[in-house]
Amino acid sequence: MLMITIDDFNFADKKALIRVDFNVPLNDDFQVTDTTRIEAAKPTIIKILEDGGSVILMSHLGRPKGVDNKFSLQHIIEKVSEVIGVQIKFATDCVGEIAEKASAELEPGEILLLENLRFHEEEKSGDLAFAKQLSKLGDIYVNDAFGTAHRAHASTAIIAQFFPNKKCFGYLLVKEIISIKRVLEESEKPVTAIIGGAKVSSKIDVIKNILDKVDNIIIGGGMAFTFIKVKGGKIGDSLIENDKLDLAQDILNLAKQKNTRIHLPIDVIAADAFSEDANTQIFPANDIPDGWMGLDVGPKTNVGFSFIIAESKTILWNGPLGVFEMSAFSKGTIELGNAIADATEEGAFSLVGGGDSVAAVKQFGFADKVSYVSTGGGAMLEMLEGKTLPGIQAILS
Ligand code: AMP
């Protein structure tokens, strides 16, 4: 894959139209509570400004139905200015006269933020005319929004066709693509994937796609019980997807054929209710009495999983090993994070991606101790499923 990046362009006197993912969390007073996504886009913005170009930022925020001040990107102007270190300008619409005038008046070194793309329903429907209107605002199109790269929206994919030879990936997208490649295609062996979380159904395609690319798959979280049951275990009241038992069996068979080792928990911390202050007891993972549900992996499992991780040179982590939101059932996820952090320090490459595992690494302070934390939940999962993302394809084609 030949990746055209912002390093292939000199932006002097050019207007860069960048799709960023500034879908940041806001509190009740509309203040930004987590600047990770803004910081992630900063290197791309700075490179363009340093070249002598100007920057037009387009993003969505939340899921507005039409124009709704609650979802206005005005709320983030000051935070973006603070993080980037330049006072940014704002256009109260992302297309039409207002946006075109603001873009025309933009001087080199300046940044313009456009109002929420999703105030126009044409953004999500991938409308060609809307994409064309957006395209008038810049000379070069840059996609740096990994979080929405799996959507074929106007600003993430459709727009690219209006920039033949003038479209490229920003630094963030490049980092995301390279880290996935380092795990699935150009990996140093042994490769271990840890797949946790609630349901087999949401991760089945990931497991299938990575089966012949990794040496070990550690399965934890609620989804492990469907596998334990199909192997004849007694799982008490633990989470189960009875309609996925056949699929779980298929995966176990396929893994055997491909010589991929699947590791399941051997013991669990079980509770007599789904609650922080429930009574807890440790049971073998395949012998949980009725009335008890496994909510975290047990101590023997922690030791076993940590050992496998210590031996690994490449590690992919998606999904928690237990109900980490409750401290009584967070130990397995924390110990896993510790093992990955230690392996990373010893030289392994570790990638954490997809939804709740990212929340867990942040909550428990591992974000700086792994090699890379992905900024895209759904996008990362789709890449792990082996799909080509529309936002990436649009730049490549
Ligand atoms: P996912 O979004 O599929 O990655 O699932 C994450 C959710 O799985 C978290 O909210 C966890 O609390 C939940 N989870 C993890 N382990 C278990 C378990 N053993 N039983 C029930 N829920 C679990």
Side-chain angles (χ1 to χ4, degrees), residues 196-199 202-203 221-222 225 239 274 294-295 319-325 356:
K199 291 188 167 173
S202 61
K203 307 278 168 78
F225 297 107
L239 206 65
F274 190 82
L295 295 184
L321 292 189
V323 184
F324 73 100
E325 300 92 332
D356 269 334

Side-chain angles (χ1 to χ4, degrees), residues 181-228:
K181 272 187 154 208
R182 246 184 110 168
V183 170
L184 295 186
E185 291 170 32
E186 297 155 5
S187 48
E188 195 180 338
K189 288 183 168 290
V191 186
T192 298
I194 305 105
I195 309 289
K199 291 188 167 173
V200 183
S201 44
S202 61
K203 307 278 168 78
I204 206 88
D205 290 334
V206 173
I207 299 178
K208 276 189 181 157
N209 185 50
I210 63 175
L211 254 180
D212 55 357
K213 300 182 175 72
V214 305
D215 304 289
N216 300 293
I217 300 183
I218 288 176
I219 296 181
M223 60 189 283
F225 297 107
T226 303
F227 288 90
I228 293 170

Side-chain angles (χ1 to χ4, degrees), residues 139-390:
D139 304 308
I140 300 170
Y141 170 66
V142 181
N143 191 352
D144 213 17
F146 184 66
T148 47
H150 57 316
R151 308 281 183 220
H153 292 171
S155 69
T156 60
I158 312 302
I159 190 172
Q161 62 198 275
F162 298 106
F163 295 90
N165 306 319
K166 290 211 168 124
K167 54 185 178 179
C168 60
F169 295 114
Y171 289 136
L172 175 64
L173 229 86
V174 171
K175 264 202 280 186
E176 298 276 0
I177 295 170
I178 287 178
S179 350
I180 289 247
K181 272 187 154 208
R182 246 184 110 168
V183 170
L184 295 186
E185 291 170 32
E186 297 155 5
S187 48
E188 195 180 338
K189 288 183 168 290
V191 186
T192 298
I194 305 105
I195 309 289
K199 291 188 167 173
V200 183
S201 44
S202 61
K203 307 278 168 78
I204 206 88
D205 290 334
V206 173
I207 299 178
K208 276 189 181 157
N209 185 50
I210 63 175
L211 254 180
D212 55 357
K213 300 182 175 72
V214 305
D215 304 289
N216 300 293
I217 300 183
I218 288 176
I219 296 181
M223 60 189 283
F225 297 107
T226 303
F227 288 90
I228 293 170
K229 184 167 178 187
V230 85
K231 289 182 83 170
K234 189 171 174 308
I235 60 163
D237 291 353
S238 306
L239 206 65
I240 178 77
E241 285 171 277
N242 280 313
D243 58 335
K244 295 292 175 297
L245 289 168
D246 290 347
L247 263 178
Q249 185 62 59
D250 288 351
I251 289 195
L252 293 173
N253 296 343
L254 248 149
K256 216 175 215 164
Q257 269 172 33
K258 297 192 186 273
N259 247 342
T260 306
R261 284 180 296 280
I262 294 208
H263 307 271
L264 294 165
I266 51 171
D267 59 349
V268 293
I269 299 179
D272 58 1
F274 190 82
S275 122
E276 177 80 89
D277 49 14
N279 295 307
T280 62
Q281 214 171 309
I282 295 168
F283 294 110
N286 59 2
D287 196 12
I288 305 171
D290 290 339
W292 293 83
M293 59 187 95
L295 295 184
D296 195 9
V297 294
K300 285 186 192 152
T301 303
N302 284 329
V303 173
F305 285 0
S306 296
F307 182 77
I308 298 162
I309 286 160
E311 303 271 288
S312 304
K313 288 273 175 275
T314 305
I315 300 159
L316 167 71
W317 180 17
N318 175 282
L321 292 189
V323 184
F324 73 100
E325 300 92 332
M326 299 184 198
S327 68
F329 312 110
S330 62
K331 199 156 183 258
T333 302
I334 295 176
E335 295 224 354
L336 176 75
N338 275 325
I340 297 175
D342 289 347
T344 310
E345 211 182 329
E346 293 296 315
F349 178 79
S350 54
L351 166 63
V352 184
D356 269 334
S357 32
V358 173
V361 291
K362 283 188 184 165
Q363 184 179 329
F364 302 127
F366 295 122
D368 297 333
K369 297 179 181 160
V370 296
S371 310
Y372 190 67
V373 180
S374 173
T375 58
M380 170 60 91
L381 278 183
E382 289 198 16
M383 276 191 92
L384 293 174
E385 287 168 5
K387 293 185 185 150
T388 307
L389 309 190

